[in-house]
Amino acid sequence: MRFTVAIDGPAAAGKGTIGRRVAQRFGFAHLDTGLLYRAVGAKVLAGAEPEAAARALTPEDLSGPGLRTPEVAQAASRVAAVPQVRAALVDFQRDFARAEGGAVLDGRDIGTVICPGAEVKLFVTASAECRAERRLAELVAAGHDIGFETVLEDVKARDARDTGRNDAPLVAANDALVLDTTTLDVEQAVAQAIAAVEAKL
Ligand code: C5P
């Protein structure tokens, strides 16, 4: 069985949590595509050339330590604006999406560019303040010494870069179900996502 769930939205809106829960519920594989850009960003911070780093990426790079830092997130959103970097990552994502057994991919351009034919498309969003509060809690729990204003600036800078770039900007697909997690709690958002998949299975 081939079945693709595309989840897009801005940073820290809850895509990852919803993606993991949907994948668990249906036994689908899950790919957090932000990790691809983070892994390239980390290599560029270490001195690599962006396109070469994207072409040389291996699955092992995605579990590397340190990909969740704010510095790597900013580097990821910079390399993500380079068309050659995006192009180098397309095949891996499409192969994952069409693998036997079903797949959930979350990112910024899954429903619009990578998998425009996905059976289910979700656009998960929330206010910048709400997303910054959640990201702050995660970073503090992981031991980072960082304040709300810094995290809010980081979220807003990435939003601006992700929505403003020419190649695959962050935008909801016309046929995406929008889940606004400013007002929905996790369980409500997950329940709506699961219902959307069940309706198409
Ligand atoms: O989702 P995450 O915050 O890990 O993504 C890091 C950065 O990677 C984003 O700010 C965005 O610029 C980029 N990205 C992208 N397309 C995707 C996934 C992530 O451009 N499909």
Side-chain angles (χ1 to χ4, degrees):
M1 192 262 298
R2 291 187 164 76
F3 192 100
T4 307
V5 181
I7 307 182
D8 292 305
K15 304 181 298 290
T17 305
I18 294 171
R20 266 191 304 280
R21 293 277 300 272
V22 168
Q24 262 169 16
R25 169 71 178 73
F26 296 100
F28 294 171
H30 176 223
L31 178 65
D32 169 1
T33 65
L35 284 177
L36 301 171
Y37 295 91
R38 286 172 182 262
V40 175
K43 284 176 185 276
V44 169
L45 286 178
E49 189 278 322
E51 184 182 356
R55 291 198 178 285
L57 213 62
T58 65
E60 291 72 51
D61 292 327
L62 307 185
S63 52
L67 294 184
R68 294 279 168 209
T69 68
E71 293 74 26
V72 170
Q74 289 294 340
S77 87
R78 282 193 297 272
V79 299
V82 179
Q84 293 84 346
V85 167
R86 306 199 70 84
L89 301 175
V90 167
D91 288 349
F92 178 78
Q93 295 175 85
R94 287 196 179 141
D95 289 349
F96 189 98
R98 298 318 279 171
E100 189 58 39
V104 178
L105 287 83
D106 70 76
R108 303 290 188 290
D109 63 340
I110 308 302
T112 50
V113 174
I114 302 296
C115 305
E119 281 75 8
V120 173
K121 296 182 189 178
L122 306 173
F123 191 81
V124 182
T125 188
S127 72
E129 286 72 17
C130 179
R131 292 183 284 122
E133 265 176 34
R134 290 185 200 146
R135 184 50 52 90
L136 176 68
E138 281 172 18
L139 290 169
V140 168
H144 291 277
D145 180 17
I146 194 163
F148 177 75
E149 288 304 324
T150 311
V151 178
L152 182 61
E153 269 171 38
D154 171 80
V155 161
K156 286 185 172 170
R158 284 208 287 146
D159 283 358
R161 224 180 271 131
D162 291 349
T163 54
R165 69 182 174 224
N166 290 322
D167 192 16
L170 171 64
V171 61
N174 292 332
D175 50 350
L177 169 68
V178 177
L179 299 177
D180 187 338
T181 63
T182 316
T183 47
L184 292 174
D185 67 26
V186 178
E187 294 308 322
Q188 290 170 321
V190 168
Q192 289 200 20
I194 285 175
V197 174
E198 272 168 349
K200 291 285 172 67
L201 269 176

